[in-house]
Amino acid sequence: MLVNAYGAHAGDKPLEPLRITRRAPGAHDVQIDIAYCGICHSDLHQVRAEWAGTRFPCVPGHEIVGRVSAVGAQVSGFKVGDLVGIGCIVDSCKHCPECEAGLENYCDGMVGTYNGPTPDEPGWTLGGYSQKIVVHERFVLRVRHPVEQLAAVAPLLCAGITTYSPLRHWNTGPGKKVGVVGIGGLGHMGIKLAHAMGAHVVAFTTSDSKREAARALGADEVVVSRNTGEMAAHAKSFDLILDTVAAPHDLDVFLGLLKRDGTLTLVGAPPTPHPAPGVFNLIFKRRAIAGSLIGGIPETQEMLDFCAEHGIVADIELIRADQINIAYERMLKSDIKYRFVIDSATLAA
Ligand code: NAP
Ligand code: ZN
């Protein structure tokens, strides 16, 4: 079936209206009428070919929420009308140790929601800046938030799970001091989630203007990372620092804030590497630098349920599809508190 979408034909071209094909639902497929789709900084990296391997036309979008509009004959977990979400993964090998552990995000055969290999037209996946999507039921998430919050639930499908998973993995909870670097789409969710898990949360920002707003998100303290005096006050004190920044930057200033055995976990994915950190900053306190990629499907469901239970959604600005290119420019200037979400109804025109 043909549906309306928004995408780009080349890395240096703006996004524009497109018509794309969705497969008819197979036996295990769920067809979703997309209501909203968040705009992740990864969308911009991919569609502008800042990362290697973008295939065009590219239709980004992996923070998808909507309603089930058809199900295949073998689908048992979902029915027409259900509120659901699709995140960054639409397929995986389903039998490797990672898939069996529910860590499809680390499967070598993981298929991303856009730009991933698929037998469907045109040979790579096309994402959520579109009216409908068809996905194997294993990768469909149940949304339990009230329907009025649906637009603000969309960013949980990437920004939410990408911060929830490392926070859980590194045992965030009462008595732990956790830093979140960069208060954008990911960072603002990291602050809300770490706060809800009971940690002492410190937000690091380059934007003086976000100081008050970050406290409202749940940060116990806010540090403007350019101010060396403010940074020094936190030396050797953190259990975990989650770095969500989308550009290369100095990691040493954050490593020095970790206590013994503390971890700096990178989730930001800048197109060019960070400058290499000093070895002495690592060996003297047995500090670690780690990375984390989104999260598996069971943990994504756990995160959605945790957010529904704690009343957590993203802070969003709802836009029309024809405002996507403007939204990208504003995101690059950190001029958004904190996530743009596309109203998919505006794709109908
Ligand atoms: P975003 O909304 O643009 O937020 C990034 C934040 O980083 C900005 O709001 C800004 O915060 C800070 N920042 C930006 N440029 C900076 C610079 N040059 N120096 C220092 N700080 C800077 O982006 P996002 O959607 O949260 O995504 C962040 C990164 O995570 C992207 O690279 C994205 O591709 C990646 N990502 C990774 C995963 C994963 O699985 N690991 C998943 C999703 C996204 P302040 O204004 O507070 O300084
Ligand atoms: Zn994302």
Side-chain angles (χ1 to χ4, degrees), residues 163 166-167 170 172 176-183 186-192 194-195 199-205 219-223 231 234 237-244 254 257-258 263-267:
T163 49
L167 288 171
W170 278 279
T172 299
K176 294 291 172 81
K177 183 171 174 182
V178 172
V180 178
V181 188
I183 314 176
L186 265 57
H188 96 289
M189 288 310 309
I191 294 168
K192 289 185 186 213
H195 174 73
H200 182 87
V201 185
V202 181
F204 294 93
T205 182
D220 298 286
E221 301 175 68
V222 184
V223 172
M231 293 289 277
H234 290 275
S237 65
F238 284 88
D239 297 283
L240 172 68
I241 298 179
L242 196 57
D243 188 332
T244 75
F254 296 106
L257 304 189
L258 296 173
T263 304
L264 172 65
T265 298
L266 308 179
V267 289

mmCIF file of all heavy atoms in Angstrom, residues 163 166-167 170 172 176-183 186-192 194-195 199-205 219-223 231 234 237-244 254 257-258 263-267:
data_model
loop_
_atom_site.group_PDB
_atom_site.id
_atom_site.type_symbol
_atom_site.label_atom_id
_atom_site.label_comp_id
_atom_site.label_asym_id
_atom_site.label_seq_id
_atom_site.Cartn_x
_atom_site.Cartn_y
_atom_site.Cartn_z
ATOM 1 N N THR A 163 18.354 6.115 27.584
ATOM 2 C CA THR A 163 18.862 6.576 28.881
ATOM 3 C C THR A 163 18.463 5.587 29.988
ATOM 4 O O THR A 163 19.251 5.323 30.889
ATOM 5 C CB THR A 163 18.364 7.999 29.188
ATOM 6 O OG1 THR A 163 16.942 8.075 28.968
ATOM 7 C CG2 THR A 163 19.040 9.008 28.273
ATOM 8 N N PRO A 166 21.091 2.223 30.218
ATOM 9 C CA PRO A 166 22.353 2.375 30.973
ATOM 10 C C PRO A 166 22.141 2.768 32.425
ATOM 11 O O PRO A 166 22.904 2.339 33.297
ATOM 12 C CB PRO A 166 23.116 3.452 30.193
ATOM 13 C CG PRO A 166 22.097 4.151 29.366
ATOM 14 C CD PRO A 166 21.014 3.156 29.089
ATOM 15 N N LEU A 167 21.115 3.556 32.710
ATOM 16 C CA LEU A 167 20.869 3.905 34.122
ATOM 17 C C LEU A 167 20.620 2.623 34.919
ATOM 18 O O LEU A 167 21.158 2.431 36.012
ATOM 19 C CB LEU A 167 19.677 4.862 34.251
ATOM 20 C CG LEU A 167 19.923 6.299 33.782
ATOM 21 C CD1 LEU A 167 18.614 7.091 33.746
ATOM 22 C CD2 LEU A 167 20.944 7.016 34.669
ATOM 23 N N TRP A 170 23.890 0.312 35.168
ATOM 24 C CA TRP A 170 24.889 0.773 36.142
ATOM 25 C C TRP A 170 24.228 1.092 37.500
ATOM 26 O O TRP A 170 24.724 1.911 38.248
ATOM 27 C CB TRP A 170 25.696 1.936 35.565
ATOM 28 C CG TRP A 170 26.818 1.423 34.676
ATOM 29 C CD1 TRP A 170 28.030 0.958 35.091
ATOM 30 C CD2 TRP A 170 26.815 1.288 33.246
ATOM 31 N NE1 TRP A 170 28.772 0.545 34.001
ATOM 32 C CE2 TRP A 170 28.069 0.733 32.866
ATOM 33 C CE3 TRP A 170 25.883 1.567 32.236
ATOM 34 C CZ2 TRP A 170 28.396 0.473 31.529
ATOM 35 C CZ3 TRP A 170 26.224 1.313 30.921
ATOM 36 C CH2 TRP A 170 27.463 0.769 30.575
ATOM 37 N N THR A 172 21.521 2.536 38.923
ATOM 38 C CA THR A 172 21.058 3.830 39.429
ATOM 39 C C THR A 172 19.972 3.630 40.476
ATOM 40 O O THR A 172 19.061 2.815 40.286
ATOM 41 C CB THR A 172 20.512 4.662 38.257
ATOM 42 O OG1 THR A 172 21.585 4.858 37.342
ATOM 43 C CG2 THR A 172 19.976 6.008 38.725
ATOM 44 N N LYS A 176 23.057 6.823 44.997
ATOM 45 C CA LYS A 176 23.976 6.973 43.861
ATOM 46 C C LYS A 176 23.944 8.414 43.351
ATOM 47 O O LYS A 176 22.884 9.046 43.338
ATOM 48 C CB LYS A 176 23.581 6.033 42.713
ATOM 49 C CG LYS A 176 23.731 4.556 43.043
ATOM 50 C CD LYS A 176 25.212 4.175 43.176
ATOM 51 C CE LYS A 176 25.406 2.753 43.696
ATOM 52 N NZ LYS A 176 25.266 1.735 42.711
ATOM 53 N N LYS A 177 25.119 8.907 42.932
ATOM 54 C CA LYS A 177 25.203 10.244 42.337
ATOM 55 C C LYS A 177 25.421 10.070 40.836
ATOM 56 O O LYS A 177 26.400 9.455 40.418
ATOM 57 C CB LYS A 177 26.343 11.032 42.980
ATOM 58 C CG LYS A 177 26.436 12.470 42.465
ATOM 59 C CD LYS A 177 27.426 13.286 43.286
ATOM 60 C CE LYS A 177 27.626 14.664 42.680
ATOM 61 N NZ LYS A 177 28.621 15.471 43.416
ATOM 62 N N VAL A 178 24.483 10.588 40.073
ATOM 63 C CA VAL A 178 24.463 10.370 38.619
ATOM 64 C C VAL A 178 24.489 11.715 37.892
ATOM 65 O O VAL A 178 23.698 12.615 38.212
ATOM 66 C CB VAL A 178 23.198 9.573 38.214
ATOM 67 C CG1 VAL A 178 23.058 9.497 36.704
ATOM 68 C CG2 VAL A 178 23.242 8.166 38.801
ATOM 69 N N GLY A 179 25.381 11.841 36.928
ATOM 70 C CA GLY A 179 25.438 13.040 36.089
ATOM 71 C C GLY A 179 24.839 12.757 34.725
ATOM 72 O O GLY A 179 24.938 11.642 34.208
ATOM 73 N N VAL A 180 24.193 13.757 34.148
ATOM 74 C CA VAL A 180 23.679 13.652 32.785
ATOM 75 C C VAL A 180 24.246 14.837 32.011
ATOM 76 O O VAL A 180 24.013 15.995 32.387
ATOM 77 C CB VAL A 180 22.136 13.661 32.755
ATOM 78 C CG1 VAL A 180 21.638 13.599 31.313
ATOM 79 C CG2 VAL A 180 21.563 12.499 33.574
ATOM 80 N N VAL A 181 25.000 14.544 30.936
ATOM 81 C CA VAL A 181 25.655 15.602 30.165
ATOM 82 C C VAL A 181 24.857 15.885 28.896
ATOM 83 O O VAL A 181 24.605 14.974 28.105
ATOM 84 C CB VAL A 181 27.100 15.205 29.784
ATOM 85 C CG1 VAL A 181 27.817 16.399 29.148
ATOM 86 C CG2 VAL A 181 27.860 14.688 30.990
ATOM 87 N N GLY A 182 24.457 17.150 28.704
ATOM 88 C CA GLY A 182 23.677 17.551 27.537
ATOM 89 C C GLY A 182 22.194 17.424 27.836
ATOM 90 O O GLY A 182 21.682 16.328 28.054
ATOM 91 N N ILE A 183 21.513 18.558 27.870
ATOM 92 C CA ILE A 183 20.080 18.504 28.190
ATOM 93 C C ILE A 183 19.290 18.698 26.901
ATOM 94 O O ILE A 183 18.708 19.750 26.634
ATOM 95 C CB ILE A 183 19.704 19.547 29.262
ATOM 96 C CG1 ILE A 183 20.717 19.517 30.415
ATOM 97 C CG2 ILE A 183 18.305 19.256 29.804
ATOM 98 C CD1 ILE A 183 20.477 20.578 31.458
ATOM 99 N N LEU A 186 17.626 13.236 24.635
ATOM 100 C CA LEU A 186 18.048 12.134 25.504
ATOM 101 C C LEU A 186 18.270 12.627 26.931
ATOM 102 O O LEU A 186 17.805 12.016 27.904
ATOM 103 C CB LEU A 186 19.361 11.507 24.974
ATOM 104 C CG LEU A 186 19.228 10.280 24.071
ATOM 105 C CD1 LEU A 186 18.373 10.559 22.846
ATOM 106 C CD2 LEU A 186 20.599 9.772 23.646
ATOM 107 N N GLY A 187 19.028 13.712 27.062
ATOM 108 C CA GLY A 187 19.440 14.178 28.382
ATOM 109 C C GLY A 187 18.265 14.513 29.289
ATOM 110 O O GLY A 187 18.271 14.175 30.476
ATOM 111 N N HIS A 188 17.245 15.143 28.730
ATOM 112 C CA HIS A 188 16.127 15.532 29.612
ATOM 113 C C HIS A 188 15.381 14.297 30.106
ATOM 114 O O HIS A 188 14.900 14.266 31.235
ATOM 115 C CB HIS A 188 15.216 16.576 28.944
ATOM 116 C CG HIS A 188 13.994 16.057 28.264
ATOM 117 N ND1 HIS A 188 14.042 15.335 27.095
ATOM 118 C CD2 HIS A 188 12.678 16.158 28.588
ATOM 119 C CE1 HIS A 188 12.810 15.019 26.734
ATOM 120 N NE2 HIS A 188 11.967 15.507 27.621
ATOM 121 N N MET A 189 15.349 13.243 29.267
ATOM 122 C CA MET A 189 14.756 11.986 29.742
ATOM 123 C C MET A 189 15.651 11.334 30.785
ATOM 124 O O MET A 189 15.156 10.773 31.770
ATOM 125 C CB MET A 189 14.534 11.018 28.574
ATOM 126 C CG MET A 189 13.407 11.372 27.620
ATOM 127 S SD MET A 189 11.828 11.754 28.412
ATOM 128 C CE MET A 189 11.614 10.356 29.501
ATOM 129 N N GLY A 190 16.964 11.394 30.576
ATOM 130 C CA GLY A 190 17.901 10.829 31.549
ATOM 131 C C GLY A 190 17.726 11.463 32.920
ATOM 132 O O GLY A 190 17.760 10.765 33.944
ATOM 133 N N ILE A 191 17.523 12.766 32.950
ATOM 134 C CA ILE A 191 17.319 13.464 34.229
ATOM 135 C C ILE A 191 16.029 12.979 34.889
ATOM 136 O O ILE A 191 16.001 12.613 36.069
ATOM 137 C CB ILE A 191 17.268 14.995 34.005
ATOM 138 C CG1 ILE A 191 18.629 15.507 33.517
ATOM 139 C CG2 ILE A 191 16.831 15.719 35.279
ATOM 140 C CD1 ILE A 191 18.612 16.939 33.004
ATOM 141 N N LYS A 192 14.936 12.942 34.110
ATOM 142 C CA LYS A 192 13.649 12.510 34.683
ATOM 143 C C LYS A 192 13.731 11.078 35.220
ATOM 144 O O LYS A 192 13.217 10.774 36.295
ATOM 145 C CB LYS A 192 12.541 12.566 33.609
ATOM 146 C CG LYS A 192 12.120 13.971 33.212
ATOM 147 C CD LYS A 192 10.945 13.917 32.240
ATOM 148 C CE LYS A 192 10.605 15.295 31.714
ATOM 149 N NZ LYS A 192 9.189 15.493 31.446
ATOM 150 N N ALA A 194 16.507 9.167 36.015
ATOM 151 C CA ALA A 194 17.430 8.976 37.144
ATOM 152 C C ALA A 194 16.808 9.528 38.427
ATOM 153 O O ALA A 194 16.945 8.942 39.507
ATOM 154 C CB ALA A 194 18.764 9.659 36.850
ATOM 155 N N HIS A 195 16.084 10.633 38.297
ATOM 156 C CA HIS A 195 15.382 11.209 39.455
ATOM 157 C C HIS A 195 14.314 10.236 39.956
ATOM 158 O O HIS A 195 14.216 9.970 41.161
ATOM 159 C CB HIS A 195 14.768 12.552 39.050
ATOM 160 C CG HIS A 195 13.908 13.171 40.105
ATOM 161 N ND1 HIS A 195 14.435 13.753 41.242
ATOM 162 C CD2 HIS A 195 12.558 13.287 40.214
ATOM 163 C CE1 HIS A 195 13.443 14.194 41.995
ATOM 164 N NE2 HIS A 195 12.296 13.930 41.401
ATOM 165 N N ALA A 199 18.076 8.507 42.401
ATOM 166 C CA ALA A 199 19.474 8.960 42.488
ATOM 167 C C ALA A 199 19.544 10.459 42.778
ATOM 168 O O ALA A 199 18.563 11.192 42.608
ATOM 169 C CB ALA A 199 20.187 8.667 41.175
ATOM 170 N N HIS A 200 20.734 10.903 43.203
ATOM 171 C CA HIS A 200 21.026 12.343 43.266
ATOM 172 C C HIS A 200 21.508 12.728 41.859
ATOM 173 O O HIS A 200 22.518 12.214 41.388
ATOM 174 C CB HIS A 200 22.106 12.622 44.314
ATOM 175 C CG HIS A 200 22.415 14.082 44.451
ATOM 176 N ND1 HIS A 200 21.710 14.925 45.289
ATOM 177 C CD2 HIS A 200 23.342 14.855 43.831
ATOM 178 C CE1 HIS A 200 22.186 16.140 45.201
ATOM 179 N NE2 HIS A 200 23.187 16.141 44.322
ATOM 180 N N VAL A 201 20.782 13.630 41.196
ATOM 181 C CA VAL A 201 21.032 13.880 39.774
ATOM 182 C C VAL A 201 21.638 15.269 39.559
ATOM 183 O O VAL A 201 21.110 16.273 40.049
ATOM 184 C CB VAL A 201 19.714 13.774 38.959
ATOM 185 C CG1 VAL A 201 20.003 13.918 37.471
ATOM 186 C CG2 VAL A 201 19.011 12.454 39.245
ATOM 187 N N VAL A 202 22.748 15.289 38.816
ATOM 188 C CA VAL A 202 23.387 16.551 38.444
ATOM 189 C C VAL A 202 23.352 16.669 36.924
ATOM 190 O O VAL A 202 23.809 15.764 36.216
ATOM 191 C CB VAL A 202 24.850 16.613 38.945
ATOM 192 C CG1 VAL A 202 25.477 17.955 38.562
ATOM 193 C CG2 VAL A 202 24.904 16.405 40.459
ATOM 194 N N ALA A 203 22.779 17.750 36.429
ATOM 195 C CA ALA A 203 22.721 17.982 34.986
ATOM 196 C C ALA A 203 23.885 18.869 34.568
ATOM 197 O O ALA A 203 24.175 19.870 35.233
ATOM 198 C CB ALA A 203 21.399 18.646 34.620
ATOM 199 N N PHE A 204 24.555 18.499 33.468
ATOM 200 C CA PHE A 204 25.633 19.306 32.904
ATOM 201 C C PHE A 204 25.163 19.872 31.575
ATOM 202 O O PHE A 204 24.716 19.128 30.700
ATOM 203 C CB PHE A 204 26.885 18.452 32.658
ATOM 204 C CG PHE A 204 27.509 17.934 33.917
ATOM 205 C CD1 PHE A 204 27.173 16.675 34.409
ATOM 206 C CD2 PHE A 204 28.427 18.706 34.617
ATOM 207 C CE1 PHE A 204 27.751 16.192 35.570
ATOM 208 C CE2 PHE A 204 29.012 18.227 35.787
ATOM 209 C CZ PHE A 204 28.671 16.972 36.267
ATOM 210 N N THR A 205 25.278 21.190 31.424
ATOM 211 C CA THR A 205 24.797 21.819 30.203
ATOM 212 C C THR A 205 25.795 22.862 29.714
ATOM 213 O O THR A 205 26.599 23.374 30.508
ATOM 214 C CB THR A 205 23.415 22.471 30.451
ATOM 215 O OG1 THR A 205 22.943 23.043 29.239
ATOM 216 C CG2 THR A 205 23.458 23.534 31.540
ATOM 217 N N ALA A 219 16.522 17.614 38.195
ATOM 218 C CA ALA A 219 17.943 17.680 38.566
ATOM 219 C C ALA A 219 18.061 18.302 39.958
ATOM 220 O O ALA A 219 17.435 19.318 40.245
ATOM 221 C CB ALA A 219 18.717 18.504 37.550
ATOM 222 N N ASP A 220 18.873 17.661 40.815
ATOM 223 C CA ASP A 220 19.116 18.237 42.139
ATOM 224 C C ASP A 220 20.086 19.407 42.043
ATOM 225 O O ASP A 220 20.021 20.339 42.837
ATOM 226 C CB ASP A 220 19.683 17.150 43.069
ATOM 227 C CG ASP A 220 18.695 16.018 43.262
ATOM 228 O OD1 ASP A 220 17.705 16.231 43.987
ATOM 229 O OD2 ASP A 220 18.867 14.940 42.660
ATOM 230 N N GLU A 221 20.996 19.327 41.070
ATOM 231 C CA GLU A 221 21.953 20.407 40.850
ATOM 232 C C GLU A 221 22.171 20.546 39.343
ATOM 233 O O GLU A 221 22.030 19.572 38.602
ATOM 234 C CB GLU A 221 23.304 20.086 41.510
ATOM 235 C CG GLU A 221 23.221 19.866 43.019
ATOM 236 C CD GLU A 221 24.567 19.442 43.608
ATOM 237 O OE1 GLU A 221 25.494 20.271 43.614
ATOM 238 O OE2 GLU A 221 24.679 18.281 44.034
ATOM 239 N N VAL A 222 22.544 21.750 38.923
ATOM 240 C CA VAL A 222 22.834 21.995 37.511
ATOM 241 C C VAL A 222 24.192 22.683 37.412
ATOM 242 O O VAL A 222 24.450 23.643 38.137
ATOM 243 C CB VAL A 222 21.752 22.885 36.852
ATOM 244 C CG1 VAL A 222 22.025 23.041 35.359
ATOM 245 C CG2 VAL A 222 20.363 22.310 37.090
ATOM 246 N N VAL A 223 25.029 22.180 36.517
ATOM 247 C CA VAL A 223 26.375 22.729 36.342
ATOM 248 C C VAL A 223 26.529 23.176 34.894
ATOM 249 O O VAL A 223 26.252 22.405 33.972
ATOM 250 C CB VAL A 223 27.439 21.652 36.664
ATOM 251 C CG1 VAL A 223 28.836 22.137 36.298
ATOM 252 C CG2 VAL A 223 27.374 21.249 38.135
ATOM 253 N N MET A 231 32.601 23.018 38.022
ATOM 254 C CA MET A 231 32.984 21.622 37.742
ATOM 255 C C MET A 231 33.857 21.076 38.873
ATOM 256 O O MET A 231 33.634 19.961 39.362
ATOM 257 C CB MET A 231 33.756 21.535 36.409
ATOM 258 C CG MET A 231 32.922 21.848 35.187
ATOM 259 S SD MET A 231 31.716 20.560 34.794
ATOM 260 C CE MET A 231 32.731 19.403 33.866
ATOM 261 N N HIS A 234 32.625 19.323 42.000
ATOM 262 C CA HIS A 234 32.102 17.942 41.925
ATOM 263 C C HIS A 234 33.195 16.907 41.679
ATOM 264 O O HIS A 234 32.895 15.749 41.347
ATOM 265 C CB HIS A 234 31.058 17.849 40.810
ATOM 266 C CG HIS A 234 29.789 18.586 41.133
ATOM 267 N ND1 HIS A 234 28.775 18.016 41.857
ATOM 268 C CD2 HIS A 234 29.409 19.849 40.850
ATOM 269 C CE1 HIS A 234 27.800 18.910 41.997
ATOM 270 N NE2 HIS A 234 28.162 20.029 41.398
ATOM 271 N N SER A 237 33.358 12.534 42.551
ATOM 272 C CA SER A 237 32.158 12.309 43.366
ATOM 273 C C SER A 237 31.069 11.463 42.698
ATOM 274 O O SER A 237 30.126 11.042 43.374
ATOM 275 C CB SER A 237 31.557 13.659 43.779
ATOM 276 O OG SER A 237 31.087 14.361 42.650
ATOM 277 N N PHE A 238 31.181 11.189 41.392
ATOM 278 C CA PHE A 238 30.069 10.519 40.690
ATOM 279 C C PHE A 238 30.260 9.013 40.571
ATOM 280 O O PHE A 238 31.351 8.530 40.293
ATOM 281 C CB PHE A 238 29.913 11.082 39.268
ATOM 282 C CG PHE A 238 29.258 12.426 39.225
ATOM 283 C CD1 PHE A 238 30.018 13.579 39.330
ATOM 284 C CD2 PHE A 238 27.884 12.544 39.103
ATOM 285 C CE1 PHE A 238 29.418 14.829 39.311
ATOM 286 C CE2 PHE A 238 27.268 13.790 39.083
ATOM 287 C CZ PHE A 238 28.045 14.936 39.187
ATOM 288 N N ASP A 239 29.152 8.281 40.713
ATOM 289 C CA ASP A 239 29.143 6.851 40.403
ATOM 290 C C ASP A 239 29.042 6.638 38.901
ATOM 291 O O ASP A 239 29.653 5.733 38.343
ATOM 292 C CB ASP A 239 27.938 6.178 41.082
ATOM 293 C CG ASP A 239 28.020 6.279 42.584
ATOM 294 O OD1 ASP A 239 28.799 5.520 43.180
ATOM 295 O OD2 ASP A 239 27.323 7.140 43.169
ATOM 296 N N LEU A 240 28.214 7.445 38.266
ATOM 297 C CA LEU A 240 27.934 7.278 36.829
ATOM 298 C C LEU A 240 27.703 8.646 36.198
ATOM 299 O O LEU A 240 27.020 9.499 36.787
ATOM 300 C CB LEU A 240 26.660 6.427 36.642
ATOM 301 C CG LEU A 240 26.111 6.306 35.224
ATOM 302 C CD1 LEU A 240 27.052 5.486 34.333
ATOM 303 C CD2 LEU A 240 24.715 5.651 35.227
ATOM 304 N N ILE A 241 28.283 8.849 35.014
ATOM 305 C CA ILE A 241 27.952 10.032 34.219
ATOM 306 C C ILE A 241 27.521 9.538 32.844
ATOM 307 O O ILE A 241 28.229 8.765 32.187
ATOM 308 C CB ILE A 241 29.141 11.012 34.102
ATOM 309 C CG1 ILE A 241 29.541 11.527 35.494
ATOM 310 C CG2 ILE A 241 28.776 12.181 33.196
ATOM 311 C CD1 ILE A 241 30.725 12.495 35.493
ATOM 312 N N LEU A 242 26.339 9.971 32.436
ATOM 313 C CA LEU A 242 25.767 9.567 31.150
ATOM 314 C C LEU A 242 25.955 10.738 30.188
ATOM 315 O O LEU A 242 25.421 11.826 30.424
ATOM 316 C CB LEU A 242 24.276 9.282 31.384
ATOM 317 C CG LEU A 242 23.491 8.510 30.362
ATOM 318 C CD1 LEU A 242 24.115 7.149 30.105
ATOM 319 C CD2 LEU A 242 22.052 8.347 30.850
ATOM 320 N N ASP A 243 26.710 10.510 29.108
ATOM 321 C CA ASP A 243 27.055 11.589 28.183
ATOM 322 C C ASP A 243 26.211 11.464 26.921
ATOM 323 O O ASP A 243 26.379 10.522 26.151
ATOM 324 C CB ASP A 243 28.554 11.492 27.859
ATOM 325 C CG ASP A 243 29.067 12.675 27.053
ATOM 326 O OD1 ASP A 243 28.270 13.276 26.310
ATOM 327 O OD2 ASP A 243 30.274 12.976 27.154
ATOM 328 N N THR A 244 25.302 12.411 26.724
ATOM 329 C CA THR A 244 24.361 12.344 25.593
ATOM 330 C C THR A 244 24.711 13.330 24.479
ATOM 331 O O THR A 244 23.911 13.535 23.569
ATOM 332 C CB THR A 244 22.917 12.657 26.059
ATOM 333 O OG1 THR A 244 22.784 14.071 26.284
ATOM 334 C CG2 THR A 244 22.542 11.911 27.330
ATOM 335 N N PHE A 254 35.015 15.364 32.390
ATOM 336 C CA PHE A 254 34.003 14.556 33.078
ATOM 337 C C PHE A 254 34.627 13.357 33.792
ATOM 338 O O PHE A 254 34.184 12.979 34.871
ATOM 339 C CB PHE A 254 32.912 14.117 32.097
ATOM 340 C CG PHE A 254 32.143 15.290 31.552
ATOM 341 C CD1 PHE A 254 32.333 15.732 30.254
ATOM 342 C CD2 PHE A 254 31.274 16.006 32.366
ATOM 343 C CE1 PHE A 254 31.658 16.845 29.769
ATOM 344 C CE2 PHE A 254 30.593 17.122 31.902
ATOM 345 C CZ PHE A 254 30.794 17.543 30.592
ATOM 346 N N LEU A 257 35.534 13.827 37.298
ATOM 347 C CA LEU A 257 34.438 13.964 38.274
ATOM 348 C C LEU A 257 33.985 12.604 38.820
ATOM 349 O O LEU A 257 33.176 12.546 39.754
ATOM 350 C CB LEU A 257 33.234 14.669 37.640
ATOM 351 C CG LEU A 257 33.487 16.045 37.016
ATOM 352 C CD1 LEU A 257 32.167 16.705 36.641
ATOM 353 C CD2 LEU A 257 34.260 16.953 37.961
ATOM 354 N N LEU A 258 34.499 11.506 38.227
ATOM 355 C CA LEU A 258 34.097 10.174 38.699
ATOM 356 C C LEU A 258 34.874 9.798 39.950
ATOM 357 O O LEU A 258 36.069 10.044 40.061
ATOM 358 C CB LEU A 258 34.377 9.118 37.620
ATOM 359 C CG LEU A 258 33.593 9.232 36.315
ATOM 360 C CD1 LEU A 258 34.120 8.205 35.312
ATOM 361 C CD2 LEU A 258 32.100 9.003 36.561
ATOM 362 N N THR A 263 31.933 5.223 36.284
ATOM 363 C CA THR A 263 31.854 4.966 34.832
ATOM 364 C C THR A 263 31.288 6.172 34.091
ATOM 365 O O THR A 263 30.275 6.750 34.510
ATOM 366 C CB THR A 263 30.945 3.749 34.545
ATOM 367 O OG1 THR A 263 31.444 2.626 35.273
ATOM 368 C CG2 THR A 263 30.925 3.403 33.067
ATOM 369 N N LEU A 264 31.964 6.521 33.005
ATOM 370 C CA LEU A 264 31.439 7.517 32.061
ATOM 371 C C LEU A 264 30.860 6.739 30.889
ATOM 372 O O LEU A 264 31.605 6.079 30.147
ATOM 373 C CB LEU A 264 32.567 8.445 31.584
ATOM 374 C CG LEU A 264 32.219 9.423 30.450
ATOM 375 C CD1 LEU A 264 31.172 10.450 30.901
ATOM 376 C CD2 LEU A 264 33.473 10.144 29.958
ATOM 377 N N THR A 265 29.551 6.742 30.743
ATOM 378 C CA THR A 265 28.904 5.974 29.675
ATOM 379 C C THR A 265 28.487 6.903 28.547
ATOM 380 O O THR A 265 27.738 7.870 28.760
ATOM 381 C CB THR A 265 27.680 5.214 30.225
ATOM 382 O OG1 THR A 265 28.138 4.292 31.212
ATOM 383 C CG2 THR A 265 26.975 4.450 29.120
ATOM 384 N N LEU A 266 28.988 6.595 27.352
ATOM 385 C CA LEU A 266 28.689 7.419 26.179
ATOM 386 C C LEU A 266 27.459 6.868 25.468
ATOM 387 O O LEU A 266 27.428 5.681 25.123
ATOM 388 C CB LEU A 266 29.880 7.410 25.211
ATOM 389 C CG LEU A 266 31.253 7.768 25.807
ATOM 390 C CD1 LEU A 266 32.331 7.691 24.732
ATOM 391 C CD2 LEU A 266 31.232 9.155 26.444
ATOM 392 N N VAL A 267 26.456 7.718 25.286
ATOM 393 C CA VAL A 267 25.335 7.339 24.417
ATOM 394 C C VAL A 267 25.239 8.278 23.216
ATOM 395 O O VAL A 267 24.714 7.895 22.177
ATOM 396 C CB VAL A 267 23.978 7.250 25.165
ATOM 397 C CG1 VAL A 267 23.937 6.043 26.094
ATOM 398 C CG2 VAL A 267 23.650 8.517 25.913
#
